[in-house]
Amino acid sequence: MKFRKIPAHIYPVLMLGVVSQIGQVLLLRELLMVFHGNELAIGIILSAWLAWTGLGSRIGIHLVDRMGQAVYWLKISVLGVLFLLPATILIIRSLRGFFDVLPGAWLTLPEMFLSCFMLMGPVCLLLGSQFVLLSRIWRERENLADTTGAGKTYMSEAAGNMVGGILFTFVLVHLLNPFQSAVLAAGVMLAAVFLILPGQVVRSRVSFIPLFILFIFLLGAPLFYFLDKVDGFAHSLKWSFTAPDHELVETRQSKHGSIAVLKLEDQYSFFQSGHLVFSTAGPETLVPGLEGQEAVSFAHLAMVQHKNPEKILLIGGGLRGTLAEIARHPVQSIDYIEVDEKLIQTAAPYVFPETLEVLEDPRVNLIHTDARLFVKQADQTYDLIIVDTPDPTTSALNRFYTREFFMETRKLLDRGGVLVTGTSSTPDLRGTAISNRNAAVYHTLNDVFSLVLVAGDRFMFYFASDDQDQVSVDPFILRERYNERGVHAQGFSPVHFQILLEETRLLRINWIVRRHGRDSLAHIHGPPSPPITPVPLSEQLMSETKLNPVEKSMFINSDFKPIVYYYTLMYWDHLTRTGERDLLKSLLHIRAWWILPFMAAPVIAAAGLRLLGNRGSLMDTSFGITGTAFSTGMSTMILQIALLFSFQNIYGFIYETVGLIVALFMLGLALGAYCTHRFIPNKSSLNTLALFQVLMAALTAVIGLVLPLTASLQSPVLIFGLFSILTFTAGLINGINYPLAAACFMAVSRRAEKSAGRVYGAELLGACLGAALASVLVVPILGIIACCLLAAAANVTAFFILLVSRRSYA
């Protein structure tokens, strides 16, 4: 069988995409673990990656224009990536050691920015320069005079990105540790550059496979053994800075995130993706400590909120002891949801024996699935739903405190059913951040259920139901229910109800949460001071309807505006750091209309250049094209961040699927570049480029309208399919734009590599700004839909820039 000849230079371009994608996902996952799973960091990480890659493309322009020898510089840069990528992972593991930060404290936003931009630089500069170098090689090998080589390079790199994302998601993450994955990807690219690139043509499509196999067998075994030891050392190094008083007992990889088990005396703490999941007394402990006592109190106070609970749904909390305490009550069935099977396997040797024994109880049904998806699809009803998840310190955890989730759980409650959840708190809700957060959870629940009661001191319980006679905070009523069931629990007695529900404290926190959040600046000024002796709870319930309406924009938490997550970050900064809380609080002042001056400024600048310029320089046209590339990059990245957050909120954790999501985006990118190359004959038309900005703006706005409808979908296949289409579409529109902008710039500058690098760099810098804005500001404060509208505004701005700067350059 005779195969068509394949250009040798396509393999290094494909491998550039593979290495870039695998490297990006590896560094993203590693930094997320250091940043405690805080998704605000996603935009910061991506913005740093894009900024340095864009700058690297400018370096590539300098190299090929001033020094030539593109193949030589490509070999040097690939060697650099081979050593720098694993070295960067090692430095990330020790990152906390570079800052004066207390154990358990989070790095501040400035520290996150500094870390990402310092660490990403070396690798991304090399990868960015490789794009321009390979564009030059492609042009020279095919004797091209325009930017067609750059377009083909762009398309092939995107195809490599797609392959890298799929390869990482389905193969590498399951078989190799991060160091092994990094060295393997960079090593294969090294082989492609040194062994294939010198030739002009690869005559067989399978000729590269023997080289790959040779690399694996000759270098793989001893090198991978060494890298496995490096990975273990790096984990120990990381936790020595994160929790220096703890002993790292075990680490284990899971598709939901790296699991780490730490020990302090007889206490075991379990971390996943860098944030604390739960702590428990070890199997050698005779009496559970503080962590066990919290689970005991939570379980029994929740169980007596229903007069006769028979069918229970428990979301989380089973491994810290909540499940065992629930099983002490005379119930018929307990459905216990724990998303990660490996977490239970990892925890088994370290938790209190009774915690594992209860899993053998015939009434207990252990379900490994995402709780949000289970709640969407479940066809049975429950008397009591107990949500025992950690505080919403991440967007992934915030999903269990949103209006959409509460509405889904309400549909599963039988007549007279009760929902119980909780968050950490402070006495009398002291502090603006914690009062904002807990009041927002209360108002969100109160927007769904007809009756919501709160209780607690350093931990706040929320009891929600549509049955007025079911939930109660009267210790005498709850003690009677408890005694009637004949429950006997170690570390808990009927007296605890009076301790947990002390009347004065109970009335004060109910008074605060019901009144806080009812004026436009409540989230800035904090709650009103409660009276020393608030009125009885019955009077508070009657008078609540007479209060001002709740400011929903800042005190109703939803999948598409995770404000509770942002308040939680403010609270943790308040607990562990100084100064940063003021920054986060100041960001709450932003308003949507602030975008208007930023839209007007580049348009005014383009008009000024048009008036001051002359036909010979075409500076206004050059500015317009570059500005369009910048705006398109920003728009596409804002849209991608919006889709990532939406996908996580509705479908599940992006940690597991981030490689696949990006692969879908890159598939669209590659196809968009191909369609432009194949079907648009006059790529250098400014009219075509301008028209495309309008189409992008319209499409982005439509996506913003469609996203809220996805929250009502129940089928996980349908949800994933819809997000796949939306992600693919976002990549497609960006892929079409690059070849058009590069061809237009080529018509102005008459220099191929300068055009390719300038447009590529502008697009990446725009994406850098878009990632930071969307992740840090727009999503948590203004919402995901505002992200889509901001992306559309960026494309509208690009259209007007072209409109005022457009002129003939024939």
Side-chain angles (χ1 to χ4, degrees):
M1 182 176 179
K2 188 175 181 180
F3 293 106
R4 191 179 68 176
K5 295 179 180 180
I6 301 174
H9 46 270
I10 195 172
Y11 286 103
V13 178
L14 287 170
M15 285 311 305
L16 171 61
V18 171
V19 172
S20 295
Q21 191 55 59
I22 291 176
Q24 185 184 87
V25 175
L26 284 173
L27 298 186
L28 176 67
R29 287 162 61 105
E30 291 291 330
L31 284 166
L32 275 177
M33 286 189 286
V34 174
F35 298 151
H36 298 273
N38 180 359
E39 289 93 349
L40 290 186
I42 292 177
I44 300 173
I45 296 166
L46 292 178
S47 66
W49 178 279
L50 294 163
W52 283 116
T53 305
L55 184 59
S57 68
R58 301 299 298 272
I59 294 175
I61 295 173
H62 175 80
L63 288 175
V64 295
D65 282 351
R66 302 289 180 87
M67 302 182 183
Q69 298 182 329
V71 173
Y72 170 79
W73 291 113
L74 180 63
K75 291 179 178 180
I76 296 296
S77 66
V78 171
L79 277 170
V81 171
L82 178 64
F83 290 101
L84 287 174
L85 186 54
T88 303
I89 296 174
L90 181 62
I91 295 173
I92 290 174
R93 298 272 179 95
S94 60
L95 182 60
R96 290 177 63 91
F98 294 93
F99 296 97
D100 183 18
V101 53
L102 295 174
W106 292 21
L107 296 181
T108 64
L109 279 179
E111 288 169 345
M112 288 182 187
F113 270 102
L114 178 63
S115 302
C116 294
F117 276 85
M118 291 293 290
L119 289 170
M120 295 288 191
V123 170
C124 292
L125 285 173
L126 294 177
L127 292 174
S129 67
Q130 287 173 18
F131 174 81
V132 179
L133 295 172
L134 286 165
S135 296
R136 175 63 170 266
I137 293 170
W138 198 306
R139 186 170 68 86
E140 290 178 344
R141 292 290 172 90
E142 298 191 359
N143 297 316
L144 300 171
D146 55 14
T147 59
T148 302
K152 291 181 178 180
T153 303
Y154 188 82
M155 177 176 61
S156 300
E157 184 197 9
N161 285 135
M162 179 193 67
V163 172
I166 294 174
L167 185 65
F168 182 85
T169 301
F170 293 107
V171 180
L172 298 183
V173 75
H174 300 286
L175 300 179
L176 305 178
N177 66 47
F179 291 93
Q180 293 168 339
S181 297
V183 170
L184 176 62
V188 174
M189 184 175 184
L190 188 70
V193 171
F194 276 81
L195 300 180
I196 292 181
L197 194 58
Q200 295 294 322
V201 169
V202 179
R203 297 187 177 276
S204 170
R205 291 180 180 178
V206 297
S207 62
F208 184 54
I209 294 178
L211 299 174
F212 177 79
I213 295 175
L214 183 64
F215 172 79
I216 292 296
F217 279 96
L218 293 182
L219 301 178
L223 180 61
F224 277 24
Y225 175 80
F226 170 74
L227 292 175
D228 187 61
K229 297 299 181 182
V230 171
D231 185 61
F233 167 76
H235 275 301
S236 300
L237 189 65
K238 170 191 169 184
W239 289 107
S240 69
F241 292 117
T242 304
D245 296 331
H246 291 66
E247 173 192 354
L248 178 62
V249 178
E250 181 181 354
T251 60
R252 187 177 295 191
Q253 291 297 319
S254 162
K255 65 181 182 179
H256 297 289
S258 177
I259 300 170
V261 183
L262 277 74
K263 181 180 180 182
L264 179 63
E265 297 179 351
D266 62 346
Q267 177 198 69
Y268 288 87
S269 297
F270 296 82
F271 292 80
Q272 190 164 38
S273 297
H275 65 267
L276 179 66
V277 180
F278 69 94
S279 295
T280 183
E284 67 274 16
T285 306
L286 298 177
V287 180
L290 178 62
E291 293 76 17
Q293 185 60 46
E294 288 179 351
V296 168
S297 299
F298 181 80
H300 294 297
L301 193 54
M303 289 300 296
V304 294
Q305 291 303 315
H306 195 283
K307 295 177 181 178
N308 184 31
E310 296 181 344
K311 296 175 292 182
I312 314 298
L313 173 62
L314 173 63
I315 298 175
L319 293 175
R320 76 176 186 127
T322 305
L323 177 63
E325 298 304 318
I326 292 173
R328 298 183 188 278
H329 291 252
V331 300
Q332 291 182 1
S333 65
I334 307 170
D335 285 346
Y336 165 44
I337 299 179
E338 179 57 63
V339 64
D340 194 351
E341 184 176 3
K342 275 198 173 181
L343 182 61
I344 290 183
Q345 295 172 356
T346 305
Y350 310 111
V351 299
F352 205 60
E354 192 174 4
T355 301
L356 294 179
E357 291 170 4
V358 73
L359 294 176
E360 305 300 324
D361 190 318
R363 299 173 298 168
V364 175
N365 178 29
L366 175 60
I367 304 170
H368 293 297
T369 186
D370 179 75
R372 284 293 298 266
L373 290 179
F374 177 85
V375 169
K376 282 178 178 291
Q377 297 178 293
D379 53 6
Q380 66 267 45
T381 58
Y382 299 93
D383 299 311
L384 193 60
I385 297 178
I386 302 174
V387 182
D388 189 11
T389 58
D391 269 6
T393 52
T394 68
S395 179
L397 292 170
N398 183 76
R399 305 163 63 228
F400 301 105
Y401 298 87
T402 64
R403 186 178 185 275
E404 292 84 356
F405 174 66
F406 294 150
M407 292 180 68
E408 291 164 357
T409 56
R410 186 188 180 198
K411 293 177 183 177
L412 293 187
L413 289 173
D414 210 342
R415 185 173 181 179
V418 178
L419 170 68
V420 179
T421 187
T423 57
S424 59
S425 189
T426 59
D428 288 342
L429 289 172
R430 294 170 192 156
T432 300
I434 195 66
S435 59
N436 285 354
R437 198 274 302 278
N438 289 2
V441 174
Y442 167 78
H443 289 307
T444 305
L445 276 166
N446 203 41
D447 197 50
V448 176
F449 292 91
S450 60
L451 177 62
V452 181
L453 301 177
V454 298
D457 183 23
R458 295 190 178 278
F459 186 87
M460 181 170 283
F461 304 89
Y462 306 83
F463 313 121
S465 178
D466 289 322
D467 188 336
Q468 304 288 327
D469 297 326
Q470 213 48 282
V471 296
S472 175
V473 288
D474 186 328
F476 299 102
I477 294 176
L478 300 181
R479 184 174 63 183
E480 184 178 351
R481 293 178 183 177
Y482 184 83
N483 288 332
E484 285 177 352
R485 299 174 193 173
V487 179
H488 298 284
Q490 187 178 32
F492 191 87
S493 70
V495 178
H496 280 83
F497 291 112
Q498 287 182 278
I499 298 173
L500 293 170
L501 303 172
E502 192 275 321
E503 185 177 16
T504 302
R505 182 171 64 239
L506 180 73
L507 295 178
R508 287 169 68 87
I509 62 171
N510 272 274
W511 191 93
I512 292 170
V513 297
R514 294 172 196 281
R515 282 162 176 76
H516 186 37
R518 296 182 182 273
D519 66 74
S520 60
L521 295 178
H523 59 290
I524 303 295
H525 297 151
S529 298
I532 297 176
T533 55
V535 298
L537 189 56
S538 58
E539 293 185 28
Q540 292 189 32
L541 293 173
M542 293 178 61
S543 62
E544 188 172 8
T545 57
K546 301 177 182 178
L547 300 174
N548 293 332
V550 174
E551 289 290 328
K552 293 188 175 183
S553 63
M554 286 297 175
F555 286 92
I556 297 295
N557 190 43
S558 75
D559 285 340
F560 294 94
K561 189 174 182 182
I563 193 65
V564 159
Y565 158 49
Y566 192 82
Y567 291 149
T568 304
L569 297 182
M570 290 175 58
Y571 172 55
W572 279 104
D573 282 330
H574 176 76
L575 286 180
T576 60
R577 305 298 295 267
T578 59
E580 174 65 11
R581 60 183 180 274
D582 297 326
L583 172 60
L584 292 177
K585 185 176 180 180
S586 66
L587 295 179
L588 291 174
H589 288 88
I590 70 169
R591 296 292 182 270
W593 63 265
W594 289 7
I595 186 61
L596 296 177
F598 292 97
M599 291 178 62
V603 178
I604 294 172
L609 286 173
R610 178 65 185 273
L611 293 173
L612 298 175
N614 57 71
R615 185 177 179 82
S617 68
L618 294 175
M619 288 182 59
D620 54 334
T621 305
S622 175
F623 174 82
I625 298 168
T626 306
T628 299
F630 181 90
S631 297
T632 303
M634 183 170 70
S635 170
T636 306
M637 184 51 63
I638 290 174
L639 184 59
Q640 190 175 3
I641 292 292
L643 290 172
L644 280 172
F645 273 82
S646 299
F647 180 81
Q648 175 172 262
N649 292 341
I650 296 171
Y651 187 84
F653 293 93
I654 61 170
Y655 188 93
E656 172 189 357
T657 56
V658 65
L660 182 59
I661 294 170
V662 177
L664 289 169
F665 178 84
M666 290 302 171
L667 174 62
L669 197 75
L671 185 59
Y674 173 79
C675 290
T676 305
H677 172 72
R678 184 71 182 270
F679 300 112
I680 300 180
N682 185 14
K683 302 178 185 62
S684 60
S685 169
L686 287 178
N687 290 333
T688 302
L689 186 61
L691 177 61
F692 188 69
Q693 306 310 308
V694 177
L695 295 176
M696 290 177 66
L699 182 59
T700 304
V702 169
I703 291 176
L705 295 176
V706 170
L707 278 180
L709 301 178
T710 59
S712 61
L713 298 177
Q714 295 183 348
S715 169
V717 175
L718 187 59
I719 293 171
F720 184 79
L722 179 59
F723 272 98
S724 297
I725 292 171
L726 294 177
T727 303
F728 171 82
T729 303
L732 182 70
I733 58 179
N734 191 68
I736 293 174
N737 187 80
Y738 174 79
L740 294 177
C744 289
F745 200 94
M746 174 68 180
V748 176
S749 70
R750 310 295 181 181
R751 295 166 62 188
E753 276 70 52
K754 179 180 179 180
S755 302
R758 180 71 64 84
V759 172
Y760 185 69
E763 187 178 278
L764 291 177
L765 290 175
C768 162
L769 179 60
L773 283 175
S775 186
V776 177
L777 294 178
V778 183
V779 168
I781 299 175
L782 298 178
I784 291 173
I785 307 307
C787 255
C788 297
L789 297 178
L790 178 61
N795 290 125
V796 170
T797 303
F799 170 76
F800 281 107
I801 292 174
L802 284 175
L803 192 66
V804 301
S805 63
R806 183 182 57 181
R807 67 167 73 184
S808 173
Y809 41 62

